[in-house]
Amino acid sequence: MSSTEVSYESPASADEQQPVEHLDVLIVGAGLSGIGAGHFIQNDCAWASYAIFESRDSIGGTWDLFRYPGIRSDSDMFTLGYSFRPWTGEKSIADGHSILQYIKDTASEEGIDQHIRFRHRIVSADWSSDEARWHVTAQRTTSRGDVEQIALTCGFMFSCSGYYRYDHGYTPEFEGLDRFAGTVIHPQQWPDGLDVAGKNIVVIGSGATAITLVPSLARAAGHVTMLQRSPTYIATLPSKNPLANFARRVLPSKWSGPGIRWFNALMTQGSYQVSRRRPEFVKKILRAGVRRQLPDGYDIDTHFTPRYNPWDQRVCVVPDGDLFKAIRAGSASVVTDHISTFTETGIRLTSGTELPADIIVTATGLELLFLGGVELTVDGEKVDPSERLTYKGMMLEGVPNLAFAIGYTNASWTLKCDLTCEYVTRLLNHQRETGQRQCVACNNGTATSDGPFLGLSAGYIMRAADRVPQQGSKHPWRVYQSYLQDYRALKRSQVTDDTMVFSNRATPSSNTTSIRSSATSSGGAAA
């Protein structure tokens, strides 16, 4: 199929027939992975019609949604950037604006942005084995704010919506919150033009968002306090990678890009493996790194020594030690305690101490929303993702023609997403070449559930354990969080194996007649 089908179901009379658009591939989400998926589809499956449905009104996903001060990558850009368009920026740990511009430039240069339909949110998708296609219901929001329901079909659905819920983050129920006379903000809804100059700010949290916010706010605020219940492992990395920048100066770009990417990917993988196999050794290294950057006598045991092992939860990165610089300068401090209640002027802790605050930032985490909340049914039977295993970390057990791009929790998101995108194109090309319209991962009963597929003990994952898929006890159902293993499983392996079942061969007869139209004629950009 070289263009979009507009199909007419053939029952009764021509007067009753309504046009229904058909796409070969429907990509959900125009963020980092969605734009990457668009590249792979249009380059490796030039025969396929596709569109990217984006519920918001702009490109970038997470990097457009989050606007809080200091937002940046928490992994290096040489691996967070696309394999097909190496990162050329000066900084390895880049700011959010630069990352967003990189995504937009990629979409524009390749014409991927012409396939995006903004303000289109997928609500439900029902797979029909008889027709070998998804019947999709979407909501389109007009510029006037009206919501229209549209129907279409697709041969393959590729979810690139990540796993964060975009409409709100997670905020615990705090005692006395309504008494606080100042401003309370969740980083996911950071207001434009917030004046922090000279203010006392308390940031509740100890994860990547809090660790990013504190030094950024401390540049203008009167004082910033990071209030945490328990510490997080923190590693300092240079914002500019001197080795990578040297390689780019002396090597041709066709070698330096892939070379730097592989080097950084292997270094990250190696440090993760050492952390899992020799946690006490890695604890000592991380602790020594923190001690070198803080004043003599600082209470590292209380504020920077977690109770868990490295990579039980994600290790946070601070570029150029900016958090520790703010602490040394006295513009920021860390308090490890529990909240008793909010007061009119701040927060009272269980120790009896009261933290004065003009602004309180609840960097208390995110909520997960698998597949962007799309309701799935297969031949009329509702699919509960939490009851399904994940095949190679990219497909659901027993669900045909559906893939999802989920990145690593211990390395750059894009490393895994690039592999997934390329594997999806090989699946699609195999189906086209063999005439099989359906591919589905089937568990023969030898693999059993081994917990949520994301594999961390972080709060946002544990809170959603009953709503996300499971990983299996063995390959190919197990999620290894390993670029090397996934490289073999997704790039070097055949798409035909004992688990992936291809079926539903196309026949000359069909109940559906089609006319053709361009891929963007049905609303390439919402009005």
Side-chain angles (χ1 to χ4, degrees), residues 26-31 33-34 51-55 120-122 157-162 371-372 374 402:
L26 175 58
I27 298 171
V28 184
S33 51
I52 302 174
F53 276 34
E54 169 56 51
S55 63
H120 281 63
R121 184 173 72 87
I122 306 296
M157 189 159 64
F158 191 6
S159 177
C160 297
S161 57
L371 298 180
V374 176
L402 170 74

Side-chain angles (χ1 to χ4, degrees), residues 203-464:
V203 179
I204 304 173
S206 60
T209 302
I211 287 169
T212 299
L213 274 166
V214 170
S216 300
L217 293 172
R219 297 187 186 107
H223 188 81
V224 182
T225 302
M226 186 171 83
L227 172 59
Q228 59 181 13
R229 291 185 302 176
S230 58
T232 297
Y233 286 109
I234 299 176
T236 294
L237 291 179
S239 59
K240 298 178 183 179
N241 186 324
L243 190 61
N245 290 335
F246 173 77
R248 289 194 294 188
R249 286 197 302 270
V250 300
L251 295 175
S253 58
K254 66 177 181 179
W255 294 344
S256 62
I260 297 168
R261 184 181 175 87
W262 265 106
F263 178 81
N264 284 9
L266 292 174
M267 288 295 291
T268 302
Q269 191 68 62
S271 65
Y272 174 77
Q273 291 298 329
V274 171
S275 296
R276 304 311 285 167
R277 296 175 185 180
R278 299 189 63 188
E280 296 303 320
F281 171 70
V282 173
K283 285 180 187 179
K284 291 179 181 178
I285 293 177
L286 292 172
R287 181 183 173 88
V290 170
R291 184 188 296 112
R292 283 195 301 270
Q293 299 176 82
L294 289 172
D296 291 341
Y298 192 92
D299 190 357
I300 294 172
D301 288 339
T302 298
H303 303 306
F304 290 101
T305 305
R307 295 187 293 268
Y308 54 86
N309 287 331
W311 286 113
D312 285 350
Q313 298 182 27
R314 192 173 178 106
V315 175
C316 292
V317 170
V318 294
D320 302 322
D322 58 2
L323 173 66
F324 303 115
K325 290 177 182 177
I327 294 172
R328 288 201 309 271
S331 57
S333 58
V334 178
V335 173
T336 305
D337 206 333
H338 288 70
I339 295 173
S340 174
T341 183
F342 277 52
T343 67
E344 291 80 0
T345 57
I347 296 175
R348 185 179 303 125
L349 307 176
T350 54
S351 63
T353 302
E354 183 159 343
L355 299 177
D358 302 301
I359 299 171
I360 296 175
V361 182
T362 56
T364 46
L366 303 163
E367 288 196 6
L368 298 193
L369 189 65
F370 184 66
L371 298 180
V374 176
E375 293 186 3
L376 297 177
T377 55
V378 174
D379 294 326
E381 181 179 346
K382 186 175 180 180
V383 175
D384 182 350
S386 68
E387 297 177 351
R388 307 293 176 118
L389 301 183
T390 55
Y391 172 78
K392 296 188 176 182
M394 54 160 282
M395 296 183 77
L396 285 179
E397 170 192 10
V399 179
N401 290 33
L402 170 74
F404 50 87
I406 298 291
Y408 293 117
T409 59
N410 64 350
S412 288
W413 181 267
T414 317
L415 284 173
K416 176 64 180 291
C417 290
D418 273 4
L419 293 176
T420 299
C421 289
E422 187 176 15
Y423 193 85
V424 165
T425 62
R426 292 203 289 135
L427 277 177
L428 291 168
N429 285 327
H430 180 79
Q431 286 182 277
R432 181 174 173 81
E433 291 162 5
T434 60
Q436 305 286 1
R437 299 182 297 167
Q438 180 170 305
C439 61
V440 58
C442 297
N443 182 11
N444 59 14
T446 61
T448 57
S449 173
D450 194 28
F453 78 114
L454 291 173
L456 288 178
S457 61
Y460 68 93
I461 292 175
M462 303 307 292
R463 287 192 300 270

Side-chain angles (χ1 to χ4, degrees), residues 98 426 514:
S98 298
R426 292 203 289 135
S514 310

Side-chain angles (χ1 to χ4, degrees), residues 115-132:
H115 293 262
I116 302 173
R117 305 184 189 179
F118 296 109
R119 297 190 289 273
H120 281 63
R121 184 173 72 87
I122 306 296
V123 177
S124 62
D126 179 19
W127 174 259
S128 168
S129 293
D130 290 339
E131 301 172 72

